[in-house]
Amino acid sequence: MKKIIIFFFLTCFFAKANAQDGPKLNRFREMTGFDAPESVVGSGEFIYVSNVGKGDVLAKDTNGFISKIDKAKGIFVEKQFIKGLNAPKGMVVIKNTLYVTDIDRVLGFDLKTAKQTLEIAIPEGKFLNDIAVRDNNVLYVSDTKLNRIYEVNVSKKTFKILNVKTPQGANGLVYVAKEKTLYVNGFGSDGKKNGELAMITQLESAAPVYVATPAKKGFMDGLCVPEKDVIVFSDWVNTEGKQGRINLYDPKTEMTRSVPLERGFAGPADFWLDVETSCFYIPLMLENKLWIQQIGGILTDKDFEDERPDFDYNKN
């Protein structure tokens, strides 16, 4: 399949990247001022970032919020565009509605007014995390603590648990309509780097089918499937140092490779990849930053080296 062509110049606000040998790292920027940023989604001229806020990621403390950023200028339009949430995480946009998970509920907000338009409580939910869109009415939502995936109908305001296996610490979700397949990864369990990347098919049957991939396991979080033959996901690597990375898995070769970004990260969570400008928007949950990186040709083999042995992921 034809791979995505990545542009080498971005008519945007980025500062020039430091020169180095190897793959072309075009432009990058980091934004500060966030509070445990967990997820990023783009819509039109704006970028939205969910902030879990200070304290426990499971606490119902109302100090979570969603930031609105001017995509072209790279500045806050409103730091707390939507506030009073508990621990908002995964987000998607359908038409003019922003859907977000918040511990044990799925909320909807009008992007023009920031007013809440929907609340679907999932009483048994413990750690609702990422969201994937099947269509305008149906969402898939992961529960990292319970290792579950819910099918949520926003028009009927109903939900059900998918009768299917999930990775340990079910986390990132992406639904690919052409394949009728839900991609999912896992953060792992009990502090172990055993999260895996998998696919779930036959979703409308009574027993969907779970197929694990040979992708390198880890503390997986964000997930993106820009084309059928490439899968991109973030891996925290650990929960202490700045060694987190963005990986690319090639189903044909069954190889896992690291995207050559400027440095390693502390807590790279649910990133957003703007394929039109080849920009990664990566929320660094443990650094309270948003990292924005443009790369030329990220999906071509020549721009990767397995595990990037020449790149110091410990460099601050």
Side-chain angles (χ1 to χ4, degrees):
M1 177 182 286
K2 181 180 179 182
K3 293 181 180 290
I4 297 173
I5 299 175
I6 304 300
F7 300 102
F8 282 90
F9 297 96
L10 179 64
T11 56
C12 190
F13 59 89
F14 302 109
K16 291 184 178 179
N18 298 326
Q20 72 174 58
D21 295 332
K24 175 74 172 177
L25 300 179
N26 292 324
R27 298 162 188 261
F28 73 91
R29 174 184 175 134
E30 62 179 330
M31 288 185 64
T32 59
F34 299 93
D35 198 346
E38 203 284 332
S39 182
V40 182
V41 68
S43 179
E45 303 173 11
F46 304 106
I47 303 295
Y48 300 91
V49 181
S50 64
N51 295 257
V52 171
K54 296 179 175 62
D56 191 338
V57 296
L58 296 178
K60 295 183 178 181
D61 48 21
T62 71
N63 65 5
F65 59 94
I66 295 172
S67 301
K68 183 177 182 179
I69 298 167
D70 186 298
K71 182 178 178 182
K73 297 179 180 178
I75 59 175
F76 285 106
V77 174
E78 193 169 352
K79 185 174 179 178
Q80 295 195 14
F81 174 63
I82 297 170
K83 55 187 177 181
L85 305 182
N86 295 314
K89 298 180 180 70
M91 299 183 295
V92 294
V93 175
I94 299 178
K95 295 182 178 180
N96 191 51
T97 300
L98 174 71
Y99 294 99
V100 57
T101 59
D102 192 18
I103 301 181
D104 59 357
R105 56 184 183 164
V106 176
L107 304 174
F109 294 91
D110 186 304
L111 283 180
K112 291 183 178 179
T113 65
K115 292 183 178 179
Q116 184 175 322
T117 59
L118 175 75
E119 177 173 354
I120 300 176
I122 301 180
E124 63 263 48
K126 298 296 183 183
F127 194 119
L128 301 189
N129 203 329
D130 202 11
I131 307 179
V133 178
R134 191 180 82 185
D135 54 44
N136 289 343
N137 297 314
V138 178
L139 307 175
Y140 293 109
V141 175
S142 61
D143 190 321
T144 302
K145 191 173 182 64
L146 296 180
N147 291 319
R148 288 179 179 175
I149 297 175
Y150 299 95
E151 182 179 296
V152 179
N153 190 306
V154 296
S155 59
K156 296 180 180 180
K157 298 183 180 181
T158 60
F159 71 90
K160 67 178 182 179
I161 301 170
L162 284 186
N163 180 30
V164 67
K165 176 184 176 181
T166 68
Q168 291 296 313
N171 197 337
L173 295 174
V174 174
Y175 180 76
V176 179
K178 291 182 179 180
E179 304 172 29
K180 295 185 178 180
T181 297
L182 181 66
Y183 289 79
V184 56
N185 66 22
F187 195 75
S189 61
D190 302 320
K192 298 177 182 178
K193 297 168 63 175
N194 60 354
E196 66 183 2
L197 174 66
M199 298 172 288
I200 299 175
T201 61
Q202 300 181 36
L203 288 158
E204 297 185 12
S205 70
V209 177
Y210 179 92
V211 180
T213 74
K216 184 177 180 180
K217 295 184 178 182
F219 295 123
M220 298 181 183
D221 197 322
L223 182 61
C224 175
V225 186
E227 292 249 348
K228 184 177 180 179
D229 55 354
V230 287
I231 303 170
V232 188
F233 62 91
S234 62
D235 183 356
W236 285 38
V237 179
N238 60 48
T239 57
E240 299 173 356
K242 295 181 180 179
Q243 297 183 12
R245 62 190 69 178
I246 303 295
N247 288 335
L248 181 148
Y249 173 71
D250 184 341
K252 293 181 179 179
T253 64
E254 297 186 347
M255 293 182 65
T256 303
R257 300 174 173 181
S258 296
V259 176
L261 300 174
E262 286 290 331
R263 64 173 175 87
F265 304 120
D270 186 11
F271 65 92
W272 179 60
L273 173 59
D274 184 352
V275 296
E276 293 184 359
T277 59
S278 71
C279 272
F280 282 96
Y281 293 79
I282 309 169
L284 307 184
M285 195 169 181
L286 303 183
E287 297 186 43
N288 295 320
K289 297 178 180 179
L290 176 65
W291 184 271
I292 309 170
Q293 177 86 59
Q294 183 212 16
I295 301 179
I298 63 166
L299 302 181
T300 60
D301 292 341
K302 66 180 181 180
D303 281 350
F304 290 95
E305 293 182 27
D306 294 345
E307 293 305 309
R308 292 282 291 156
D310 61 324
F311 187 72
D312 184 3
Y313 281 94
N314 292 302
K315 183 179 178 181
N316 294 325

